[in-house]
Amino acid sequence: MDAIIHFFTRRQYKNLFLLTWLVLALLQACFSELWDDEAYYWVYSRHLDWGYFDHPPMIALLIKMGYSIFHNELGVRLFIVLLNTITLWVTARLIASKDNILFYLIIGAMGAMQIGGMLAVPDLPLIFFAAIYFWAYRYFVAKQSWRNTLLLGITMALMFYSKYHGVLLVFFTVLSNMNLLRVFKFWIACIITTILFFPHIYWQYTHGFPSLQYHLVERNASAYDITFTLDYLGGQLLLFGPLVGWLILYYAFRCPIQNTFERALKFSLIGVLVFFLISTFKGRVEANWTVMVFTPVVILAHQAIVRRGWSRKILLYTLPVTLLLVLVTRVYMVWDFLPGVEIRPEIHHNKEWASQVAARAQGRPVVFLNSYQLPSKYMFYTGQVSYSLNSRYSRRSQYNFWDTEKQLWGKPVMVVFEPGTDMPVTDSLKTVKGTWDIYIQPKYYSYSLVELKPALTTIKAHPNETVKVFLQPVNGYRQPIPIDRDNPPVLGYGFSTKEVALAAVKSTIPLERAMLRRVIDMQVVMPDKPGEYLLKFCVFAGDLPPTHNSQAIKVTVSGK
């Protein structure tokens, strides 16, 4: 009892703050339905691997650990909540001139950290391991021992296993202290990181580096739009505080630097924000991509106020309003008290929607077209088999790498898709999340894991010119592929720009014959209009839309 009383004494109010933070996050995690991406990453955890199409595997591992304890939303988020709370503790420990009240004011102003601190997404482990990385770096700068070298190497690897963006923190740390390149033990730390991260690199290699292909090639916009930059700037102000995010960033930018460690924090903060600002000239940048600088922002803003003697009145006066906004948001995430108003509709009525779809499916597996979110939610809330069939008209996802199709081959399934899709329609289904068209397919066959590896990476041609492209068929199922004899599948191809996808073209090459050969050639007719295109090869199977079966080839059609 004395220990408990001591825990809540005035000297220990920091522990009370952290305990309150933890309890609120656990309650939020327990009673809020999953967001779309959280359900997707939960499916990750059911297929543990060294890598995934979208992200490295850290989020999958954390969800797997939590879900093994609690088979519900809390289990999905359990370790995320714990890491988020520890992040605050580590960040506070990294502040040299501690002013706990000021620390709480800064944290309290960051509504996104309070609300989003329980979401099972890769950003949260990245924030945590970024804080641990800076902690390790501070020790390494102070004393370049073998222990600190090992710690630095491990923390860098853990950052990279959380999200690729972590490499920016290492880059800007080195930029802030170029002498690191002369330090032998820093190179040893980098070797340790490489060795630990190698399994993921090898996974990317064996799968054709799909993450690089998607993020660096397929995701770029065809032309700059000023809204990319404006949305990014507005998003940063909201991310670091719905009311005073601008002020917290100003404080962080103005912090006087006193040592090598703080220089790394400031270089990382400015470097990351500028890097993604420049990235807006190539396409849309999500506001949350910069969350890894949470620890630098808090430390630098805190030190700026302390060292410059600035007033904290604005933080104090706006705190009640921020906490009220956070409270309303917390309640809304649990209770849809604004029916008919769609504010993040993904967080409500998922159980009811999944039950309605399952009732119509009558035990059949459910295949959703062009959505990785819907099958993930459906499987989480029903426990039944579901799959995402991604046509070549949509982006790929991790479903393009899982062999779930093998469970569906030859079986009756219910295909669910948005009205207006070019598919046969058996019936429609009204749910709490809108009306969907459905198609009951007696025998399902699709071939998403068949890969057609092109020999070319770029093509330059004239309008309507016919180009012969050599392809290497690869069987990703590692077993003989069953063929739908009623509707034999054939190969095809299709072009797309950043705005539109042209209609896919069927070839006369049967999939069965192609899989018996090491190399095939396909005659591809170029688009009739000059421009920049992406060419992908696909498989047509029955009434289903053609699927993604190759990486993109850059095509330049010239009018000259």
Side-chain angles (χ1 to χ4, degrees):
M1 179 61 70
D2 291 339
I4 297 177
I5 294 175
H6 177 69
F7 185 86
F8 290 106
T9 59
R10 180 175 177 82
R11 294 180 181 178
Q12 299 294 329
Y13 60 84
K14 181 188 297 183
N15 293 331
L16 179 59
F17 171 82
L18 293 175
L19 180 62
T20 303
W21 183 283
L22 175 63
V23 170
L24 287 175
L26 288 174
L27 290 174
Q28 190 76 58
C30 184
F31 295 105
S32 299
E33 293 186 7
L34 293 188
W35 293 43
D36 286 345
D37 286 352
E38 290 183 289
Y40 181 43
Y41 301 138
W42 170 78
V43 183
Y44 272 24
S45 72
R46 302 182 68 191
H47 303 265
L48 280 184
D49 206 341
W50 284 107
Y52 300 93
F53 174 77
D54 310 79
H55 296 290
M58 181 62 71
I59 186 63
L61 178 61
L62 294 173
I63 293 175
K64 182 77 171 183
M65 294 163 55
Y67 196 74
S68 66
I69 302 173
F70 302 110
H71 296 295
N72 52 27
E73 290 90 347
L74 177 60
V76 172
R77 297 161 170 158
L78 178 61
F79 280 90
I80 297 299
V81 171
L82 295 177
L83 293 186
N84 178 254
T85 305
I86 298 173
T87 300
L88 300 186
W89 180 80
V90 172
T91 302
R93 297 272 295 182
L94 290 174
I95 298 176
S97 304
K98 293 181 176 60
D99 183 328
N100 289 333
I101 298 299
L102 176 59
F103 177 76
Y104 304 146
L105 288 175
I106 294 174
I107 296 298
M110 295 183 173
M113 191 65 174
Q114 300 177 60
I115 297 168
M118 62 85 190
L119 294 178
V121 294
D123 301 288
L124 272 299
L126 176 61
I127 295 173
F128 170 74
F129 287 115
I132 298 297
Y133 160 74
F134 284 118
W135 174 69
Y137 177 69
R138 189 179 71 169
Y139 274 101
F140 183 80
V141 170
K143 183 179 181 181
Q144 292 161 13
S145 65
W146 285 110
R147 182 183 73 88
N148 292 340
T149 300
L150 178 62
L151 183 63
L152 183 64
I154 293 174
T155 56
M156 288 192 292
L158 291 174
M159 271 203 307
F160 301 163
Y161 270 117
S162 299
K163 203 170 183 180
Y164 302 119
H165 298 163
V167 72
L168 293 176
L169 297 182
V170 177
F171 173 77
F172 289 116
T173 296
V174 173
L175 202 61
S176 74
N177 183 12
M178 296 297 289
N179 287 330
L180 286 172
L181 299 178
R182 303 175 183 174
V183 177
F184 172 72
K185 288 183 179 177
F186 175 74
W187 289 104
I188 295 297
C190 292
I191 292 174
I192 293 172
T193 299
T194 303
I195 293 173
L196 294 176
F197 198 60
F198 180 77
H200 177 72
I201 298 174
Y202 183 73
W203 183 94
Q204 288 284 345
Y205 168 74
T206 57
H207 290 77
F209 295 98
S211 301
L212 294 178
Q213 173 77 10
Y214 173 66
H215 289 292
L216 300 182
V217 177
E218 299 179 26
R219 195 163 188 167
N220 293 336
S222 59
Y224 173 68
D225 189 326
I226 193 173
T227 60
F228 296 163
T229 303
L230 296 178
D231 289 347
Y232 169 75
L233 294 174
Q236 296 313 298
L237 299 182
L238 292 175
L239 181 67
F240 294 103
L243 300 179
V244 292
W246 59 273
L247 184 62
I248 291 175
L249 289 173
Y250 172 77
Y251 287 154
F253 291 148
R254 292 294 308 278
C255 178
I257 301 304
Q258 294 186 350
N259 51 57
T260 302
F261 170 67
E262 291 182 354
R263 188 183 303 114
L265 296 178
K266 198 160 191 177
F267 268 66
S268 296
L269 169 61
I270 296 175
V272 167
L273 293 179
V274 171
F275 174 84
F276 285 114
L277 175 63
I278 295 174
S279 298
T280 63
F281 291 96
K282 295 185 65 178
R284 191 169 299 280
V285 173
E286 302 294 337
N288 60 287
W289 288 359
T290 64
V291 292
M292 58 185 144
V293 296
F294 166 79
T295 293
V297 167
V298 172
I299 295 175
L300 293 174
H302 179 284
Q303 298 298 68
I305 296 172
V306 170
R307 292 170 185 171
R308 294 185 179 275
W310 285 333
S311 172
R312 61 193 71 185
K313 288 184 179 180
I314 296 180
L315 295 175
L316 183 61
Y317 293 157
T318 58
L319 180 63
V321 180
T322 299
L323 294 180
L324 178 61
L325 292 174
V326 169
L327 176 61
V328 172
T329 304
R330 286 185 185 275
V331 173
Y332 177 74
M333 290 174 66
V334 177
W335 170 39
D336 184 13
F337 57 80
L338 295 172
V341 179
E342 292 193 351
I343 304 175
R344 303 299 301 210
E346 66 187 275
I347 64 178
H348 294 130
H349 312 298
N350 294 298
K351 296 179 182 178
E352 184 180 356
W353 167 81
S355 296
Q356 291 173 331
V357 176
R360 178 61 66 90
Q362 297 179 346
R364 302 182 185 90
V366 178
V367 175
F368 293 89
L369 292 187
N370 300 328
S371 173
Y372 63 86
Q373 303 98 330
L374 295 177
S376 303
K377 285 278 186 73
Y378 181 80
M379 282 190 285
F380 182 84
Y381 286 109
T382 67
Q384 299 183 27
V385 176
S386 187
Y387 181 66
S388 171
L389 182 69
N390 298 314
S391 75
R392 64 159 304 278
Y393 305 109
S394 71
R395 58 155 287 186
R396 291 192 296 169
S397 72
Q398 185 59 34
Y399 282 94
N400 289 86
F401 297 87
W402 288 320
D403 60 359
T404 310
E405 288 169 311
K406 293 195 300 186
Q407 304 176 46
L408 309 180
W409 281 335
K411 297 179 181 178
V413 304
M414 185 174 81
V415 185
V416 179
F417 46 93
E418 294 182 354
T421 303
D422 186 17
M423 278 278 297
V425 177
T426 304
D427 201 352
S428 62
L429 172 63
K430 292 184 178 180
T431 71
V432 291
K433 290 181 175 289
T435 301
W436 306 84
D437 283 343
I438 61 176
Y439 170 53
I440 304 299
Q441 190 169 15
K443 292 183 179 181
Y444 179 87
Y445 291 97
S446 66
Y447 305 94
S448 294
L449 265 64
V450 169
E451 186 177 3
L452 303 171
K453 292 185 176 181
L456 300 173
T457 57
T458 60
I459 294 176
K460 294 183 178 180
H462 300 294
N464 295 316
E465 181 181 350
T466 300
V467 176
K468 181 186 292 187
V469 179
F470 290 94
L471 303 170
Q472 178 189 6
V474 177
N475 180 358
Y477 300 100
R478 299 180 181 178
Q479 71 176 61
I481 299 175
I483 299 298
D484 182 2
R485 297 302 174 186
D486 297 328
N487 298 283
V490 298
L491 306 188
Y493 63 89
F495 292 92
S496 63
T497 66
K498 296 299 181 181
E499 291 81 19
V500 297
L502 306 184
V505 178
K506 284 186 178 182
S507 75
T508 58
I509 305 174
L511 174 63
E512 184 176 25
R513 179 163 61 87
M515 299 309 297
L516 296 175
R517 303 176 62 180
R518 298 186 63 180
V519 177
I520 60 172
D521 62 86
M522 184 180 297
Q523 302 292 330
V524 178
V525 179
M526 297 293 110
D528 57 2
K529 295 181 180 179
E532 301 291 331
Y533 298 87
L534 292 178
L535 168 63
K536 294 180 182 179
F537 297 91
C538 50
V539 175
F540 288 84
D543 295 318
L544 298 173
T547 51
H548 275 282
N549 296 95
S550 78
Q551 294 197 10
I553 298 177
K554 293 182 179 180
V555 175
T556 301
V557 177
S558 173
K560 297 181 180 180

